Amino acid sequence: MIRAVIYCRCSTEEESQKNALEKQVAEAESSVRQYGWVLVDRYVESRSGTTAKGRNEYKRLFNDLLTDKFDVIVIKSQDRLMRNTKDWYLFVDRLCTEQKKLYMYIENKFYSTDDALITGIKAILAEEYSRELSKKINNAHRNRQRDGGNVMLPGNAYGFKRMPDKSVALVEKEAEIKREMYRLCAAGYGTRTISTIMRNRGIVNRDGKPFTSSYILRMLRNPINKGTAVMGKYHFDFDSKRTIKNPKEKIYIHEDKVPRTVSDELWNAANEQIDKRSVKTKDGEDDIGKNPGKYQPSGKIVCGMCGQPYWRKVHRKHSNHELIYTWACSSYLELGRSDNLRARPNLRKVFLENEKGCDNINIAENEFYAVLEEICSNQYQKNKKKIIEKIMKLLSKSLNNQDGTKEIEKLEREQEDIERKMKFLVDKLIDGVLTDQMYKTKQEELEKKRDQNKKKILELTERTSNTQNIKDRLQEIETRLNDDDLFKKATIDDMLEEVDKIVVYPRYMEIYFSLSSVTGCMDLKIFDGDKKCFRVDYGNRLDYKGRQCDAREVVVDLIRENPRITGKMIAKEIGCSLSGANYKLKVLKKEGRIRFNGAGGKGCWEILE
């Protein structure tokens, strides 16, 4: 029995809404029954598209071509399979290689290799049709956006609903929740704290899931909530198959296009608070949430306490506005600390009920790289001398290839030979050995070759004149390569390439390598048994809070030794500023561990433990 499968796809979203897809499935199944084949599977795609991207059923069919699941694929027509020339040829190549058949019931015929030319032309025409259709649709959208036509909101846009006449109306219950978010933000609460408040109140989105901080941030930033529609911000490029951001001159802003959720004053107040919190990059864009995977440790640092990934965050130092980069557990960033006393100030007010955050440490990026640098120095060393020798050998080879001295000498010898031949031709012409025509033809050949050689000599001379500059540059490169800091950074990057994950705990980390790719470990005994990892103990080195606690313990010991010690004396002993010493004393007093008996700077400290 011949085993058959059917593949059906709608050509447009509108057609899908008219039940044409169900009709197409029925027609395909009817063709299978007509030939007495056995229907073993259905690949039904409700999504339209010109390429294979996003079409899961087509991808499943394409992968199943490699199996012995079926013998025949039944489709309506070639354009229902795809309207992309490249994808068509990839599909046909796999179809023929795996000796499967393709039946198109509209034409009542099987695909044959003899049809390769005509089907290829059809694929090109189908793709061109889709390209023209895309241009028309994009042009219609631009005209609608320029003229301030109907606002096209996604069907699940929270707080709004689309009416039958294509207008937009508020969902009052959801709109009030958004207003509360704006009010909290304007009052100084961050999006993570607002997310926590919503969780405590049992407020969820339309999917029944809690509002995430990133979703809340996007919603608060969206001017649609103050009635302003921003149109034409993005467009779909048919050739690159990507959504591209339009320049400012192609973006249209229309005021009061939808009902207002919040007033201009409230929207501005909330966004001013967000602006205060955001850290700007050199380009003036918010750095928060931009391309989270661009840092090498991204996705590799994992919390040992809750198993969630660590995220990179940035903030400014209060004293000098210096940028500080840290890595923190995503559970902590979303939910705060499980210990309410250690939570962020706003989260202490709205501590999350029935759900705990994470108490793992935040890692200062510079300290993290310092630890990795020590690992590279002690346990992951590369042969620096051999690496530099290899690099310089390759660069020198490239330099020698650019040195055209020998080639110039060869061409100059050829030029001398050409001049001799041209003089010889003149002698033969005078002697009457050559006719005028023979002389002219040979003379033109020699002149052409002479001019070509002259041009080559000029090019090689210009290139060779830069040789000394290149040699100086090579010397500079070798000096840079011998720079320890540069080499250490390169070694750290190389090690991170071979790391599967780094599991962080408050006092130590476990570094897991992919042993098949490790080439730089000097001693494999560093690995901990069958774990294929090694452990790095760092105590409080990466834990700022822990270091602060240790520093306060030192202050307690100093008070124990000298109850009359002053803040200035403490600052000198522990190597910090006077304000830093006074702050540590303030924290210890707040914790109820010490108190000062006296007034006006006269008296002594008492330890209350």
Side-chain angles (χ1 to χ4, degrees):
M1 296 292 291
I2 296 177
R3 299 162 299 167
V5 297
I6 63 173
Y7 178 81
C8 302
R9 178 182 70 88
C10 60
S11 59
T12 65
E13 296 298 330
E14 288 77 12
E15 186 177 345
S16 174
Q17 294 171 5
K18 295 176 183 177
N19 299 321
L21 189 58
E22 289 83 350
K23 182 181 178 182
Q24 190 182 147
V25 171
E27 290 174 349
E29 290 177 349
S30 175
S31 296
V32 172
R33 290 194 298 270
Q34 178 183 347
Y35 286 94
W37 300 332
V38 178
L39 182 63
V40 295
D41 204 350
R42 299 174 180 82
Y43 301 87
V44 181
E45 201 89 62
S46 60
R47 176 173 179 173
S48 177
T50 56
T51 67
K53 185 178 180 181
R55 291 165 55 193
N56 296 327
E57 286 298 286
Y58 172 79
K59 292 177 182 177
R60 187 167 71 90
L61 172 64
F62 191 67
N63 292 330
D64 286 350
L65 277 169
L66 299 173
T67 69
D68 189 34
K69 183 177 180 179
F70 54 81
D71 307 302
V72 180
I73 303 170
V74 177
I75 62 174
K76 181 178 181 180
S77 58
Q78 180 182 337
D79 64 338
R80 295 308 168 103
L81 200 58
M82 76 272 298
R83 287 178 176 171
N84 180 275
T85 309
K86 176 186 173 183
D87 288 341
W88 168 253
Y89 281 116
L90 289 172
F91 181 86
V92 167
D93 178 68
R94 182 169 290 189
L95 180 83
C96 296
T97 302
E98 299 301 321
Q99 298 183 336
K100 301 288 196 298
K101 292 184 178 181
L102 179 65
Y103 177 71
M104 293 168 277
Y105 64 80
I106 285 290
E107 301 177 33
N108 192 24
K109 63 176 292 186
F110 287 91
Y111 169 80
S112 169
T113 52
D114 295 335
D115 300 328
L117 177 60
I118 189 65
T119 55
I121 293 173
K122 284 183 177 180
I124 294 171
L125 292 174
E127 183 173 350
E128 189 60 30
Y129 168 79
S130 296
R131 180 179 286 105
E132 288 301 316
L133 184 62
S134 177
K135 288 180 181 178
K136 291 177 182 178
I137 293 172
N138 279 338
N139 185 60
H141 279 313
R142 280 195 296 270
N143 291 337
R144 175 184 57 81
Q145 292 159 358
R146 183 194 61 220
D147 299 337
N150 292 318
V151 177
M152 306 296 290
L153 287 177
N156 62 344
Y158 192 80
F160 297 100
K161 64 178 178 180
R162 289 185 292 187
M163 306 302 288
D165 62 353
K166 297 185 179 181
S167 63
V168 176
L170 290 181
V171 179
E172 191 53 41
K173 183 178 179 181
E174 295 175 350
E176 183 54 38
I177 292 171
K178 289 205 289 186
R179 292 186 193 106
E180 179 63 12
M181 292 180 182
Y182 274 97
R183 285 192 286 266
L184 288 168
C185 184
Y189 289 96
T191 54
R192 294 190 179 102
T193 305
I194 296 172
S195 174
T196 302
I197 293 172
M198 296 297 115
R199 285 172 186 254
N200 283 344
R201 296 179 183 178
I203 298 172
V204 295
N205 60 25
R206 288 182 177 177
D207 296 328
K209 297 178 181 179
F211 287 98
T212 63
S213 60
S214 58
Y215 181 92
I216 293 172
L217 179 60
R218 288 195 302 271
M219 188 166 60
L220 294 173
R221 283 294 201 188
N222 197 338
I224 198 73
N225 291 306
K226 60 174 180 177
T228 301
V230 179
M231 299 183 177
K233 195 172 183 180
Y234 301 95
H235 83 278
F236 178 77
D237 182 72
F238 182 87
D239 294 317
S240 65
K241 303 296 186 289
R242 292 181 179 177
T243 300
I244 299 174
K245 190 173 183 178
N246 279 327
K248 289 183 178 180
E249 58 269 18
K250 290 188 177 181
I251 298 175
Y252 305 101
I253 299 175
H254 299 284
E255 306 285 347
D256 297 318
K257 286 299 296 182
V258 299
R260 290 173 176 265
T261 303
V262 297
S263 64
D264 288 342
E265 293 75 18
L266 182 55
W267 192 93
N268 292 333
N271 279 269
E272 284 173 7
Q273 289 294 327
I274 296 173
D275 290 336
K276 290 179 182 177
R277 294 171 177 270
S278 65
V279 177
K280 304 293 182 182
T281 62
K282 291 181 181 178
D283 297 329
E285 297 288 339
D286 291 355
D287 189 54
I288 306 301
K290 294 286 183 183
N291 193 7
K294 67 183 178 183
Y295 308 105
Q296 198 167 18
S298 296
K300 294 187 177 184
I301 307 180
V302 180
C303 177
M305 297 178 68
C306 69
Q308 295 301 309
Y310 262 58
W311 292 346
R312 190 177 191 258
K313 63 176 187 173
V314 57
H315 62 277
R316 289 192 184 275
K317 200 171 183 179
H318 289 295
S319 58
N320 57 9
H321 301 291
E322 176 189 355
L323 286 177
I324 306 295
Y325 300 98
T326 57
W327 291 80
C329 175
S330 54
S331 289
Y332 157 70
L333 293 176
E334 292 289 345
L335 306 174
R337 301 293 185 193
S338 60
D339 178 2
N340 196 30
L341 293 176
R342 298 179 62 206
R344 297 188 301 274
N346 279 336
L347 276 180
R348 290 186 201 131
K349 305 173 187 176
V350 292
F351 190 62
L352 188 62
E353 300 167 359
N354 304 321
E355 198 165 354
K356 299 295 183 182
C358 184
D359 291 334
N360 211 345
I361 62 172
N362 295 347
I363 302 173
E365 188 173 75
N366 58 340
E367 287 290 342
F368 174 69
Y369 276 100
V371 170
L372 294 182
E373 182 181 315
E374 291 177 7
I375 295 169
C376 290
S377 300
N378 300 329
Q379 297 167 322
Y380 189 84
Q381 294 178 343
K382 297 281 189 180
N383 192 322
K384 178 180 177 180
K385 185 177 179 181
K386 285 186 177 180
I387 289 175
I388 294 176
E389 286 178 356
K390 186 175 181 180
I391 292 173
M392 297 309 299
K393 186 177 180 181
L394 290 171
L395 290 173
S396 299
K397 184 178 179 181
S398 175
L399 172 63
N400 291 333
N401 289 337
Q402 293 189 42
D403 189 351
T405 305
K406 293 182 180 180
E407 184 69 18
I408 291 173
E409 291 175 356
K410 180 182 175 182
L411 290 170
E412 286 176 344
R413 288 194 297 269
E414 288 183 6
Q415 289 292 79
E416 292 174 0
D417 186 53
I418 290 171
E419 293 292 341
R420 283 195 299 269
K421 287 179 179 179
M422 292 174 72
K423 185 178 180 181
F424 179 75
L425 281 176
V426 173
D427 292 340
K428 292 299 179 184
L429 178 65
I430 294 172
D431 294 340
V433 176
L434 296 175
T435 65
D436 289 346
Q437 184 61 41
M438 291 172 65
Y439 170 79
K440 185 177 180 180
T441 302
K442 194 64 179 176
Q443 181 77 359
E444 287 177 352
E445 288 179 6
L446 291 172
E447 286 178 352
K448 184 178 180 181
K449 189 172 183 180
R450 182 189 63 185
D451 293 342
Q452 289 175 345
N453 281 2
K454 187 176 180 180
K455 184 178 180 181
K456 287 181 180 179
I457 290 171
L458 288 173
E459 291 175 352
L460 288 170
T461 303
E462 184 178 353
R463 188 195 307 173
T464 306
S465 65
N466 294 324
T467 299
Q468 187 57 45
N469 292 335
I470 296 173
K471 287 180 179 178
D472 294 340
R473 181 61 177 156
L474 279 176
Q475 184 63 44
E476 182 184 342
I477 291 171
E478 186 172 6
T479 303
R480 289 285 307 279
L481 288 172
N482 280 293
D483 183 346
D484 282 341
D485 291 338
L486 184 67
F487 193 83
K488 285 176 182 177
K489 186 179 185 306
T491 308
I492 291 171
D493 291 342
D494 188 39
M495 185 187 79
L496 285 172
E497 286 290 333
E498 297 171 354
V499 167
D500 277 343
K501 64 178 178 179
I502 300 174
V503 183
V504 173
Y505 296 90
R507 297 291 178 268
Y508 67 93
M509 68 170 67
E510 292 178 341
I511 301 180
Y512 290 77
F513 282 89
S514 173
L515 292 184
S516 60
S517 63
V518 171
T519 56
C521 288
M522 299 288 287
D523 184 4
L524 291 179
K525 292 180 181 178
I526 62 176
F527 292 108
D528 186 6
D530 296 329
K531 277 189 172 183
K532 298 179 182 178
C533 75
F534 66 89
R535 172 170 165 161
V536 182
D537 292 292
Y538 40 69
N540 280 334
R541 179 176 176 179
L542 300 184
D543 182 8
Y544 173 77
K545 296 283 187 183
R547 292 200 306 274
Q548 293 297 96
C549 289
D550 287 349
R552 290 196 289 272
E553 292 301 324
V554 173
V555 172
V556 172
D557 290 338
L558 290 173
I559 291 173
R560 187 176 285 112
E561 293 173 5
N562 179 12
R564 296 187 180 276
I565 195 169
T566 64
K568 189 175 183 179
M569 295 166 64
I570 291 173
K572 185 178 180 180
E573 286 288 337
I574 64 177
C576 71
S577 64
L578 177 59
S579 60
N582 288 334
Y583 178 77
K584 290 175 177 57
L585 292 169
K586 179 181 176 181
V587 172
L588 288 170
K589 287 193 290 183
K590 188 175 180 180
E591 291 176 348
R593 299 186 60 191
I594 62 172
R595 69 183 174 196
F596 187 76
N597 294 323
K602 296 182 180 180
C604 62
W605 292 99
E606 179 184 356
I607 298 174
L608 301 178
E609 294 176 329

